[in-house]
Amino acid sequence: MFLSSFLRTIPISLEQGLAYGIVALGIVISFRILAFPDLTVDGSFPLGAAAVSRLIIEGIHPIYGVMLAIFLGFIAGCFTGLLNTKLKINSLLAGILMMTILYSVNLRIMGRSNIQLLTVNTLLTPLESLEMNRFIPIITFFFLVTIGIKILTDMFLHTQLGFAMRATGDNEQMIRTLGTNTDNMTILGLGISNAFVALSGALVCQDQGFSDVGMGIGMIVAGLASIIIGEALLGTKTVQRMTLAAIVGSIIYKFIISIGLRLGLAPTDLKLATGIMVVLALGIPALKKEKEGKLHLRGV
Amino acid sequence: MIELAEVKKTFSRGTVDEKVAINGLTLHIRDGDFVTIIGSNGAGKTTALNLISGTYFPDEGNIVIDGVDVTNIPEHRRAKFLGRIFQDPLMGTAASMSIEENLAIADLRGKRRGLGWGVEKSRRGHYRDILKMLDLGLEDRMKDMVSLLSGGQRQSLTLLMVTLSIPKLLLLDEHTAALDPKTAQRVMELTEKIITDNNLTTVMVTHNMQQAIQYGNRMIMLHEGRIQFDIEGEEKNNLTVEDVVKKFGEKLKDETLLVA
């Protein structure tokens, strides 16, 4: 009985874990590569969803909506970067400001606080109408998209520009003396990060059949939880390992959540549980009096 | 050729903490000069380097490098002129990146960074060759993360990174001060070799008077943001620590300078 309910959570965890894995990849770029605690995520996730949903109900093909979502997410991230680098606003506050601004922007885009997409054609409709268990094509789709983005990220982080971005997060002074404008690296990195997050939002809303202006709340914490879980298992030795850890962590996180729900955890308590999980993961090294905590961050 | 003309820099201007760090510094450094700078704490040594590198902008005066007025050019755009090594061995390298990745970053100092591969295959052989020169076995650890290296190894790697694209001016900011005496000696020998081999124009700030006398062809003492003395050639070669103490002892106020 227990085992079968356990097994039944696997496909849904894979589907959601892969879809939200793109958020985790975005957070790897901001938190891990740039060492920038970017909270824009809670706003750029519903931004992506808002953009695609609005275009879909306006009768425009969802692929354009997805492209618009990526573009808007990129712009939102760049704005956070500009607030921090040009206006010298503390990185956490810059993210919070952007997140708050995006709440209004998202409502404007949607025209109301939620849009249902169950009765309209989305990017996933052709996959869901195939003559097989819906999980097979849907999981394949999210697997290909998420792994594709992981590979592109890995490749980018091994280019000259990617090196400069990694060095910006690692040793800003050093890469500046080597001739890189670290402000531009921060802005570009946050743009890419939030483009990923918005893409994830755009795909998740089509998968679940609705967009809601509040769907981004707690996204950053859930993403961090995913990264921490993944890194605990796979480590952070190379960039490839770090990005893989984010995706694996995201799947395991969704799995833990579904198990928790099956065991009677109230859905309303999810964010409490996730928060405690992250607090423990970040706090235990400090309690053990280890010199370095789990997060090394700039600009705070 | 570096030219500083009447450069002034005051920190916290208009507050109770106002501190005149550099007070009308005029200095002409010729190509091939190896200048050592000494001075007690607060004499303005590091501020002078920070002004040359563009970390700070001067309040007054001009800085010209190789005929280009760089007074208002930001740090990252001066990179093609300058190589810089800091006191803290952790500051010259990116710890979470591999040895070869660090070398590749330095390979493009002051150049545009695009979407080409960060480490070009064709450069690997060259990286290996120059790493061999260090004699630290790093040539067999090119994929290791720099965080695994010791302070001395990291400082040696930083020196190599400078040589990958020869700067007009090398700035050394007490770059051996944080190392144990034996390692410091090794790094200093390597520094001299690299400077001589590449005929680098160099400014070295040091706290160690013996080091300031032993290396370079010219020595400058800063005091309260001005040049106290500037000697070179024969006169410098014959200088001893005792001479300097006798002449300027009361102005040094700082015993650490006298530790050989």
Side-chain angles (χ1 to χ4, degrees):
Chain A
M1 219 311 254
F2 179 73
L3 187 69
S4 74
S5 94
F6 184 83
L7 287 176
R8 237 176 294 140
T9 60
I10 290 179
I12 185 78
S13 310
L14 267 175
E15 173 185 346
Q16 294 192 344
L18 287 166
Y20 285 89
I22 309 173
V23 174
L25 284 173
I27 297 176
V28 165
I29 293 183
S30 55
F31 272 73
R32 283 292 184 234
I33 301 298
L34 284 172
F36 190 107
D38 178 26
L39 305 187
T40 315
V41 173
D42 280 24
S44 53
F45 186 78
L47 173 66
V52 80
S53 314
R54 179 64 191 261
L55 288 203
I56 288 173
I57 57 168
E58 297 287 340
I60 297 166
H61 193 277
I63 194 72
Y64 296 110
V66 171
M67 279 154 56
L68 179 68
I70 294 172
F71 174 74
L72 291 179
F74 182 81
I75 298 294
C78 289
F79 263 107
T80 304
L82 285 168
L83 292 183
N84 174 251
T85 57
K86 303 301 176 198
L87 303 184
K88 310 288 177 210
I89 296 173
N90 167 304
S91 53
L92 285 168
L93 186 55
I96 291 171
L97 284 169
M98 207 51 217
M99 176 216 290
T100 309
I101 291 169
L102 284 175
Y103 190 83
S104 297
V105 173
N106 294 340
L107 278 172
R108 278 270 171 212
I109 293 175
M110 295 206 289
R112 50 181 186 259
S113 62
N114 59 65
I115 295 177
Q116 72 82 18
L117 300 167
L118 287 170
T119 50
V120 289
N121 278 336
T122 70
L123 206 57
L124 302 179
T125 310
L127 297 176
E128 295 192 315
S129 47
L130 291 175
E131 295 279 318
M132 58 173 96
N133 182 331
R134 79 172 275 280
F135 278 122
I136 298 168
I138 294 286
I139 290 175
T140 310
F141 170 79
F142 279 117
F143 178 81
L144 292 177
V145 172
T146 307
I147 294 298
I149 289 173
K150 173 202 156 17
I151 291 171
L152 281 177
T153 307
D154 291 345
M155 283 166 63
F156 171 73
L157 291 173
H158 283 90
T159 62
Q160 297 158 0
L161 208 57
F163 277 13
M165 191 174 284
R166 286 161 65 194
T168 299
D170 184 305
N171 190 340
E172 203 174 352
Q173 173 67 50
M174 168 244 191
I175 191 67
R176 221 182 296 130
T177 57
L178 290 174
T180 291
N181 184 335
T182 50
D183 287 359
N184 291 351
M185 283 301 128
T186 303
I187 295 165
L188 175 67
L190 293 181
I192 295 174
S193 167
N194 284 288
F196 287 1
V197 175
L199 167 63
S200 181
L203 296 179
V204 165
C205 73
Q206 298 181 65
D207 189 30
Q208 68 189 14
F210 69 92
S211 287
D212 186 279
V213 72
M215 69 193 281
I217 297 173
M219 196 52 59
I220 188 72
V221 176
L224 273 180
S226 306
I227 289 177
I228 292 167
I229 294 169
E231 287 180 352
L233 290 172
L234 296 173
T236 56
K237 251 189 118 187
T238 60
V239 167
Q240 290 89 328
R241 192 76 78 82
M242 230 191 277
T243 49
L244 183 65
I247 298 170
V248 171
S250 173
I251 294 168
I252 295 176
Y253 169 73
K254 288 292 174 191
F255 185 64
I256 295 172
I257 295 295
S258 347
I259 296 285
L261 290 174
R262 295 215 168 226
L263 292 179
L265 180 72
T268 44
D269 289 337
L270 268 186
K271 296 202 195 313
L272 174 68
T274 308
I276 291 173
M277 217 149 95
V278 175
V279 168
L280 288 179
L282 294 180
I284 285 171
L287 291 179
K288 283 201 207 146
K289 303 248 186 302
E290 278 170 26
K291 221 171 113 207
E292 274 193 43
K294 277 231 163 229
L295 284 175
H296 141 79
L297 297 172
R298 292 186 300 139
V300 201
Chain B
M1 199 188 65
I2 321 300
E3 205 65 86
L4 279 79
E6 283 299 319
V7 172
K8 286 190 184 164
K9 178 71 187 174
T10 305
F11 290 109
S12 314
R13 191 190 279 276
T15 72
V16 285
D17 296 323
E18 181 167 302
K19 162 98 180 100
V20 181
I22 295 291
N23 190 9
L25 180 66
T26 298
L27 175 63
H28 175 94
I29 301 168
R30 291 164 306 235
D31 278 340
D33 264 356
F34 179 175
V35 183
T36 59
I37 299 185
I38 55 162
S40 47
N41 285 328
K45 306 183 297 286
T46 298
T47 308
L49 287 198
N50 281 333
L51 288 167
I52 296 176
S53 69
T55 312
Y56 307 140
F57 295 118
D59 303 326
E60 283 175 46
N62 285 79
I63 300 169
V64 177
I65 302 178
D66 217 34
V68 182
D69 188 331
V70 298
T71 313
N72 295 308
I73 294 183
E75 187 170 23
H76 65 91
R77 285 181 42 215
R78 290 189 205 188
K80 59 175 179 285
F81 302 115
L82 301 172
R84 185 169 188 187
I85 302 183
F86 298 93
Q87 176 177 356
D88 182 351
L90 306 183
M91 277 187 78
T93 42
S96 66
M97 299 176 73
S98 69
I99 294 177
E100 66 172 13
E101 287 173 341
N102 272 276
L103 288 166
I105 292 178
D107 217 355
L108 289 178
R109 178 157 47 79
K111 300 201 185 89
R112 237 186 66 87
R113 295 173 200 272
L115 290 175
W117 288 122
V119 178
E120 279 178 54
K121 276 210 179 82
S122 57
R123 294 292 285 166
R124 272 212 181 100
H126 180 61
Y127 297 159
R128 178 178 289 273
D129 288 343
I130 58 170
L131 282 168
K132 264 191 201 139
M133 213 177 78
L134 294 180
D135 206 16
L136 294 169
L138 297 185
E139 64 274 15
D140 299 319
R141 301 174 58 188
M142 282 171 44
K143 304 251 184 225
D144 276 9
M145 273 206 247
V146 167
S147 57
L148 300 171
L149 306 185
S150 70
Q153 287 172 326
R154 283 181 76 163
Q155 209 63 320
S156 306
L157 179 61
T158 311
L159 271 166
L160 271 194
M161 286 163 63
V162 166
T163 64
L164 276 169
S165 78
I166 301 295
K168 296 270 179 228
L169 177 67
L170 174 61
L171 302 172
L172 303 173
D173 190 357
E174 299 191 46
H175 73 301
T176 63
L179 305 175
D180 66 81
K182 212 172 137 215
T183 314
Q185 182 62 27
R186 267 196 67 115
V187 170
M188 200 52 230
E189 280 163 16
L190 177 70
T191 307
E192 197 183 27
K193 179 174 158 39
I194 282 173
I195 291 172
T196 318
D197 288 356
N198 298 289
N199 194 27
L200 283 174
T201 310
T202 305
V203 174
M204 176 169 83
V205 163
T206 175
H207 233 88
N208 178 326
M209 180 131 28
Q210 184 58 46
Q211 204 178 45
I213 291 173
Q214 186 184 347
Y215 296 97
N217 65 322
R218 187 172 167 192
M219 173 169 155
I220 287 171
M221 187 172 119
L222 285 185
H223 184 64
E224 293 177 349
R226 279 171 193 276
I227 292 179
Q228 190 70 38
F229 70 71
D230 179 352
I231 56 171
E232 59 184 309
E234 204 55 22
E235 196 187 349
K236 172 171 187 295
N237 290 340
N238 297 328
L239 199 70
T240 64
V241 174
E242 289 72 33
D243 294 339
V244 182
V245 174
K246 220 182 284 169
K247 267 173 124 171
F248 300 101
E250 72 277 17
K251 284 206 172 123
L252 291 172
K253 292 180 299 189
D254 183 359
E255 307 77 41
T256 55
L257 265 175
L258 308 176
V259 180

